Amino acid sequence: QQQVKQSPQSLIVQKGGISIINCAYENTAFDYFPWYQQFPGKGPALLIAIRPDVSEKKEGRFTISFNKSAKQFSLHIMDSQPGDSATYFCAASSGNTGKLIFGQGTTLQVKP
Amino acid sequence: NAGVMQNPRHLVRRRGQEARLRCSPMKGHSHVYWYRQLPEEGLKFMVYLQKENIIDESGMPKERFSAEFPKEGPSILRIQQVVRGDSAAYFCASSPRLTGINLGGYTFGSGTRLTVV
């Protein structure tokens, strides 16, 4: 019930291509869905986030698509660059504590 | 603003020793969260604290682990009698307050990597 399932585990994309990472959840009480980017040896950094009353949110090259009925959301990275190579985590939270449930992570490699 | 500061960055402990991890939140932040990241896994919530109060410790192991966030000073995550399975990266995050917009959008530190030998 509290899980967030993320796929794929790893992804290799050519420079300029589109990177797509998918997440699915079960708990319909989740009301906040952020994506975090983590570089080796660093802490996760908030990339973009969405609430379930919105189906899509775009910030620069990063877009979240949200399907409330399917309980799925995805991150699209347009025009992927080598500097985007990192581990990406989706997450979800509900209630008043701000506690985040993270997906297992996707390691993205963008080849020049 | 120096961000969320965690120290030490790396900590090596022998089995049975105590590990003490420190987290100084961003200036003005009164909410602190601790997460644990095992190798090749996502982050797992451990505990949520406000100044002098533990709000949610549902992710903390029942034994050997404790956390505090005193009125003055950093938040401390303490692991007593460490075992090899405690080896992980421990991340602290802070936020200024809880609002509908900011919920979950807090700032992480760079983590403490604990190795138990």
Side-chain angles (χ1 to χ4, degrees):
Chain A
Q1 186 79 1
Q2 285 292 318
Q3 279 188 327
V4 176
K5 296 183 178 180
Q6 183 173 345
S7 63
Q9 187 174 359
S10 62
L11 182 61
I12 300 174
V13 173
Q14 290 294 132
K15 178 182 176 182
I18 303 174
S19 304
I20 302 175
I21 304 170
N22 301 299
C23 284
Y25 64 98
E26 296 179 359
N27 187 349
T28 55
F30 287 147
D31 58 4
Y32 180 81
F33 302 88
W35 284 88
Y36 282 84
Q37 180 188 55
Q38 185 179 29
F39 293 103
K42 302 292 186 182
L46 179 65
L47 197 59
I48 187 172
I50 198 169
R51 292 201 168 274
D53 53 347
V54 177
S55 62
E56 185 175 284
K57 183 175 181 180
K58 184 176 180 179
E59 289 184 1
R61 296 184 294 110
F62 301 92
T63 300
I64 299 179
S65 297
F66 188 86
N67 187 328
K68 188 175 181 178
S69 61
K71 290 185 283 187
Q72 295 175 347
F73 59 110
S74 60
L75 175 69
H76 291 63
I77 306 174
M78 313 299 288
D79 187 26
S80 299
Q81 300 296 313
D84 297 330
S85 298
T87 301
Y88 293 81
F89 293 96
C90 62
S93 71
S94 66
N96 297 323
T97 66
K99 176 173 71 176
L100 287 172
I101 308 299
F102 281 87
Q104 298 89 332
T106 297
T107 301
L108 170 66
Q109 182 183 357
V110 181
K111 291 193 169 183
Chain B
N1 194 332
V4 178
M5 303 300 293
Q6 290 190 247
N7 65 82
R9 289 295 306 275
H10 300 275
L11 182 62
V12 178
R13 284 287 178 267
R14 294 185 184 278
R15 282 178 294 172
Q17 290 184 320
E18 178 179 284
R20 192 171 295 200
L21 288 61
R22 296 176 185 77
C23 169
S24 296
M26 290 181 69
K27 186 176 182 180
H29 287 195
S30 58
H31 301 249
V32 166
Y33 303 78
W34 286 92
Y35 286 79
R36 176 165 62 175
Q37 185 175 30
L38 295 170
E40 308 300 325
E41 292 189 16
L43 289 85
K44 305 291 186 186
F45 169 80
M46 299 183 74
V47 62
Y48 162 45
L49 311 103
Q50 293 180 23
K51 284 284 188 180
E52 300 183 278
N53 287 302
I54 296 175
I55 307 302
D56 182 349
E57 56 181 347
S58 58
M60 288 279 272
K62 299 299 181 192
E63 298 177 349
R64 302 188 297 107
F65 285 73
S66 63
E68 63 178 9
F69 189 18
K71 185 177 181 180
E72 302 291 338
S75 175
I76 305 289
L77 178 67
R78 185 180 290 109
I79 311 172
Q80 296 178 306
Q81 300 175 331
V82 296
V83 300
R84 288 226 171 104
D86 297 332
S87 295
Y90 292 82
F91 290 96
C92 167
S94 73
S95 72
R97 63 190 181 281
L98 286 178
T99 70
I101 295 174
N102 292 334
L103 209 63
Y106 32 65
T107 303
F108 280 90
S110 294
T112 293
R113 280 142 187 89
L114 172 66
T115 302
V116 179
V117 296

